[in-house]
mmCIF file with all atom_site columns, all heavy atoms in Angstrom:
data_model
loop_
_atom_site.group_PDB
_atom_site.id
_atom_site.type_symbol
_atom_site.label_atom_id
_atom_site.label_alt_id
_atom_site.label_comp_id
_atom_site.label_asym_id
_atom_site.label_entity_id
_atom_site.label_seq_id
_atom_site.pdbx_PDB_ins_code
_atom_site.Cartn_x
_atom_site.Cartn_y
_atom_site.Cartn_z
_atom_site.occupancy
_atom_site.B_iso_or_equiv
_atom_site.pdbx_formal_charge
_atom_site.auth_seq_id
_atom_site.auth_comp_id
_atom_site.auth_asym_id
_atom_site.auth_atom_id
_atom_site.pdbx_PDB_model_num
ATOM 1  N N   . ALA A 1 371 ? 7.482  -3.416 -14.669 1.00 84.00 ? 392 ALA A N   1
ATOM 2  C CA  . ALA A 1 371 ? 8.499  -4.460 -14.750 1.00 84.00 ? 392 ALA A CA  1
ATOM 3  C C   . ALA A 1 371 ? 9.037  -4.595 -16.174 1.00 84.00 ? 392 ALA A C   1
ATOM 4  O O   . ALA A 1 371 ? 10.222 -4.873 -16.385 1.00 84.00 ? 392 ALA A O   1
ATOM 5  C CB  . ALA A 1 371 ? 7.931  -5.791 -14.270 1.00 84.00 ? 392 ALA A CB  1
ATOM 6  N N   . SER A 1 372 ? 8.164  -4.391 -17.167 1.00 86.00 ? 393 SER A N   1
ATOM 7  C CA  . SER A 1 372 ? 8.591  -4.465 -18.567 1.00 86.00 ? 393 SER A CA  1
ATOM 8  C C   . SER A 1 372 ? 9.290  -3.190 -19.008 1.00 86.00 ? 393 SER A C   1
ATOM 9  O O   . SER A 1 372 ? 10.253 -3.224 -19.783 1.00 86.00 ? 393 SER A O   1
ATOM 10 C CB  . SER A 1 372 ? 7.382  -4.718 -19.478 1.00 86.00 ? 393 SER A CB  1
ATOM 11 O OG  . SER A 1 372 ? 6.695  -5.889 -19.086 1.00 86.00 ? 393 SER A OG  1
ATOM 12 N N   . ALA A 1 373 ? 8.790  -2.060 -18.504 1.00 83.00 ? 394 ALA A N   1
ATOM 13 C CA  . ALA A 1 373 ? 9.362  -0.778 -18.912 1.00 83.00 ? 394 ALA A CA  1
ATOM 14 C C   . ALA A 1 373 ? 10.703 -0.504 -18.245 1.00 83.00 ? 394 ALA A C   1
ATOM 15 O O   . ALA A 1 373 ? 11.488 0.303  -18.756 1.00 83.00 ? 394 ALA A O   1
ATOM 16 C CB  . ALA A 1 373 ? 8.385  0.355  -18.576 1.00 83.00 ? 394 ALA A CB  1
ATOM 17 N N   . GLY A 1 374 ? 10.982 -1.178 -17.113 1.00 81.00 ? 395 GLY A N   1
ATOM 18 C CA  . GLY A 1 374 ? 12.228 -0.920 -16.389 1.00 81.00 ? 395 GLY A CA  1
ATOM 19 C C   . GLY A 1 374 ? 13.470 -1.112 -17.240 1.00 81.00 ? 395 GLY A C   1
ATOM 20 O O   . GLY A 1 374 ? 14.286 -0.191 -17.382 1.00 81.00 ? 395 GLY A O   1
ATOM 21 N N   . PRO A 1 375 ? 13.663 -2.310 -17.834 1.00 86.00 ? 396 PRO A N   1
ATOM 22 C CA  . PRO A 1 375 ? 14.847 -2.491 -18.684 1.00 86.00 ? 396 PRO A CA  1
ATOM 23 C C   . PRO A 1 375 ? 14.873 -1.536 -19.874 1.00 86.00 ? 396 PRO A C   1
ATOM 24 O O   . PRO A 1 375 ? 15.947 -1.096 -20.290 1.00 86.00 ? 396 PRO A O   1
ATOM 25 C CB  . PRO A 1 375 ? 14.719 -3.948 -19.148 1.00 86.00 ? 396 PRO A CB  1
ATOM 26 C CG  . PRO A 1 375 ? 13.896 -4.610 -18.072 1.00 86.00 ? 396 PRO A CG  1
ATOM 27 C CD  . PRO A 1 375 ? 12.923 -3.558 -17.635 1.00 86.00 ? 396 PRO A CD  1
ATOM 28 N N   . VAL A 1 376 ? 13.697 -1.233 -20.441 1.00 86.00 ? 397 VAL A N   1
ATOM 29 C CA  . VAL A 1 376 ? 13.652 -0.307 -21.574 1.00 86.00 ? 397 VAL A CA  1
ATOM 30 C C   . VAL A 1 376 ? 14.134 1.074  -21.144 1.00 86.00 ? 397 VAL A C   1
ATOM 31 O O   . VAL A 1 376 ? 14.930 1.726  -21.846 1.00 86.00 ? 397 VAL A O   1
ATOM 32 C CB  . VAL A 1 376 ? 12.222 -0.235 -22.146 1.00 86.00 ? 397 VAL A CB  1
ATOM 33 C CG1 . VAL A 1 376 ? 12.154 0.798  -23.264 1.00 86.00 ? 397 VAL A CG1 1
ATOM 34 C CG2 . VAL A 1 376 ? 11.788 -1.600 -22.654 1.00 86.00 ? 397 VAL A CG2 1
ATOM 35 N N   . MET A 1 377 ? 13.660 1.533  -19.971 1.00 83.00 ? 398 MET A N   1
ATOM 36 C CA  . MET A 1 377 ? 14.113 2.820  -19.445 1.00 83.00 ? 398 MET A CA  1
ATOM 37 C C   . MET A 1 377 ? 15.615 2.797  -19.187 1.00 83.00 ? 398 MET A C   1
ATOM 38 O O   . MET A 1 377 ? 16.321 3.774  -19.471 1.00 83.00 ? 398 MET A O   1
ATOM 39 C CB  . MET A 1 377 ? 13.362 3.133  -18.152 1.00 83.00 ? 398 MET A CB  1
ATOM 40 C CG  . MET A 1 377 ? 11.878 3.385  -18.329 1.00 83.00 ? 398 MET A CG  1
ATOM 41 S SD  . MET A 1 377 ? 10.998 3.412  -16.740 1.00 83.00 ? 398 MET A SD  1
ATOM 42 C CE  . MET A 1 377 ? 11.895 4.706  -15.874 1.00 83.00 ? 398 MET A CE  1
ATOM 43 N N   . ALA A 1 378 ? 16.112 1.693  -18.646 1.00 82.00 ? 399 ALA A N   1
ATOM 44 C CA  . ALA A 1 378 ? 17.534 1.590  -18.341 1.00 82.00 ? 399 ALA A CA  1
ATOM 45 C C   . ALA A 1 378 ? 18.372 1.637  -19.617 1.00 82.00 ? 399 ALA A C   1
ATOM 46 O O   . ALA A 1 378 ? 19.425 2.282  -19.659 1.00 82.00 ? 399 ALA A O   1
ATOM 47 C CB  . ALA A 1 378 ? 17.796 0.300  -17.573 1.00 82.00 ? 399 ALA A CB  1
ATOM 48 N N   . VAL A 1 379 ? 17.916 0.945  -20.658 1.00 85.00 ? 400 VAL A N   1
ATOM 49 C CA  . VAL A 1 379 ? 18.633 0.973  -21.941 1.00 85.00 ? 400 VAL A CA  1
ATOM 50 C C   . VAL A 1 379 ? 18.639 2.386  -22.515 1.00 85.00 ? 400 VAL A C   1
ATOM 51 O O   . VAL A 1 379 ? 19.658 2.858  -23.048 1.00 85.00 ? 400 VAL A O   1
ATOM 52 C CB  . VAL A 1 379 ? 18.005 -0.022 -22.924 1.00 85.00 ? 400 VAL A CB  1
ATOM 53 C CG1 . VAL A 1 379 ? 18.542 0.196  -24.338 1.00 85.00 ? 400 VAL A CG1 1
ATOM 54 C CG2 . VAL A 1 379 ? 18.278 -1.457 -22.481 1.00 85.00 ? 400 VAL A CG2 1
ATOM 55 N N   . ALA A 1 380 ? 17.501 3.078  -22.395 1.00 85.00 ? 401 ALA A N   1
ATOM 56 C CA  . ALA A 1 380 ? 17.434 4.447  -22.899 1.00 85.00 ? 401 ALA A CA  1
ATOM 57 C C   . ALA A 1 380 ? 18.409 5.351  -22.149 1.00 85.00 ? 401 ALA A C   1
ATOM 58 O O   . ALA A 1 380 ? 19.122 6.163  -22.753 1.00 85.00 ? 401 ALA A O   1
ATOM 59 C CB  . ALA A 1 380 ? 16.006 4.976  -22.764 1.00 85.00 ? 401 ALA A CB  1
ATOM 60 N N   . VAL A 1 381 ? 18.453 5.210  -20.817 1.00 83.00 ? 402 VAL A N   1
ATOM 61 C CA  . VAL A 1 381 ? 19.385 6.013  -20.028 1.00 83.00 ? 402 VAL A CA  1
ATOM 62 C C   . VAL A 1 381 ? 20.822 5.671  -20.395 1.00 83.00 ? 402 VAL A C   1
ATOM 63 O O   . VAL A 1 381 ? 21.674 6.556  -20.544 1.00 83.00 ? 402 VAL A O   1
ATOM 64 C CB  . VAL A 1 381 ? 19.145 5.780  -18.516 1.00 83.00 ? 402 VAL A CB  1
ATOM 65 C CG1 . VAL A 1 381 ? 20.235 6.436  -17.685 1.00 83.00 ? 402 VAL A CG1 1
ATOM 66 C CG2 . VAL A 1 381 ? 17.784 6.317  -18.105 1.00 83.00 ? 402 VAL A CG2 1
ATOM 67 N N   . GLY A 1 382 ? 21.130 4.377  -20.549 1.00 80.00 ? 403 GLY A N   1
ATOM 68 C CA  . GLY A 1 382 ? 22.476 3.974  -20.929 1.00 80.00 ? 403 GLY A CA  1
ATOM 69 C C   . GLY A 1 382 ? 22.868 4.508  -22.298 1.00 80.00 ? 403 GLY A C   1
ATOM 70 O O   . GLY A 1 382 ? 24.020 4.921  -22.509 1.00 80.00 ? 403 GLY A O   1
#
Side-chain angles (χ1 to χ4, degrees):
S393 304
V397 176
M398 293 168 57
V400 168
V402 171

